[in-house]
Amino acid sequence: MSTPADLRPLIDRLEIEALCAQFTDAVMMHDFHRLATLFTDDAVLRIPDAGIEVSGRAQFEPSMRRMQDAWDYFVQHTHPGATTIDGDTATGRAHVCEFGRLRTGSSHLNYAIYHDRYRRTPDGWKFTERVYEIRYLDNSPLPGSPPGEDGAGVDIAALQQHG
């Protein structure tokens, strides 16, 4: 079944937003194999402020695994930004908030932007480049912790009273 031409831009935007959502979900779920499938074979991921560059899809799984293994816990929220589509290529941005605690004990909270390049492939839209630009960084100790850590727990009774 063919897609009407006037719907193609809308479908492309939805597919690109889904690609970005898959990236965040794969990172959060530590699904590094799935993460690697979101990139073209020649893709590059750059995090200039951290001196990180990962080149080629074959490097994504082991590199992202190493990066995530540095964290006690890590949370990433991504929100769609602007996308410009030009045939089978596109550029876009995604706005990010991340926080977590590294195994070294230091904490990390930042707001950033992914500057992306995408390419339509036979398997759908893929990243060809992601550049992570940190706009705000706070390394103050985070006051919270994951449930169960250091005696921290979720007060189920309090939640039930307000739910």
Side-chain angles (χ1 to χ4, degrees):
M1 180 171 139
S2 64
T3 302
D6 58 340
L7 290 180
R8 185 79 253 161
L10 177 61
I11 292 168
D12 288 340
R13 287 180 192 286
L14 289 172
E15 289 176 355
I16 289 169
E17 283 186 21
L19 175 69
C20 293
Q22 285 289 332
F23 178 94
T24 298
D25 189 67
V27 168
M28 291 290 298
M29 300 310 296
H30 291 222
D31 188 345
F32 305 113
H33 174 73
R34 177 168 47 121
L35 182 72
T37 68
L38 304 176
F39 291 85
T40 60
D41 288 338
D42 59 346
V44 177
L45 171 71
R46 293 182 180 93
I47 308 173
D49 292 316
I52 294 171
E53 182 169 318
V54 181
S55 297
R57 180 169 48 193
Q59 294 303 309
F60 278 86
E61 187 170 347
S63 295
M64 293 302 289
R65 184 178 305 280
R66 275 192 307 278
M67 282 189 261
Q68 287 298 302
D69 283 349
W71 296 91
D72 279 335
Y73 61 88
F74 173 83
V75 176
Q76 180 183 78
H77 292 281
T78 307
H79 307 279
T83 302
T84 303
I85 299 167
D86 185 14
D88 290 338
T89 63
T91 58
R93 288 183 296 276
H95 305 274
V96 182
C97 174
E98 292 180 333
F99 68 91
R101 185 177 61 219
L102 291 160
R103 295 194 191 281
T104 62
S106 65
S107 295
H108 182 83
L109 166 68
N110 77 59
Y111 292 90
I113 300 172
Y114 279 118
H115 299 274
D116 295 331
R117 293 187 184 279
Y118 318 99
R119 183 183 314 138
R120 186 191 324 267
T121 73
D123 296 322
W125 286 95
K126 303 286 182 184
F127 294 105
T128 61
E129 180 181 54
R130 285 207 109 178
V131 178
Y132 190 80
E133 176 194 2
I134 297 174
R135 292 286 184 100
Y136 171 84
L137 176 62
D138 182 353
N139 289 322
S140 302
L142 294 170
S145 63
E149 184 178 283
D150 300 328
V154 176
D155 187 346
I156 300 298
L159 289 176
Q160 289 173 338
Q161 288 176 353
H162 297 291

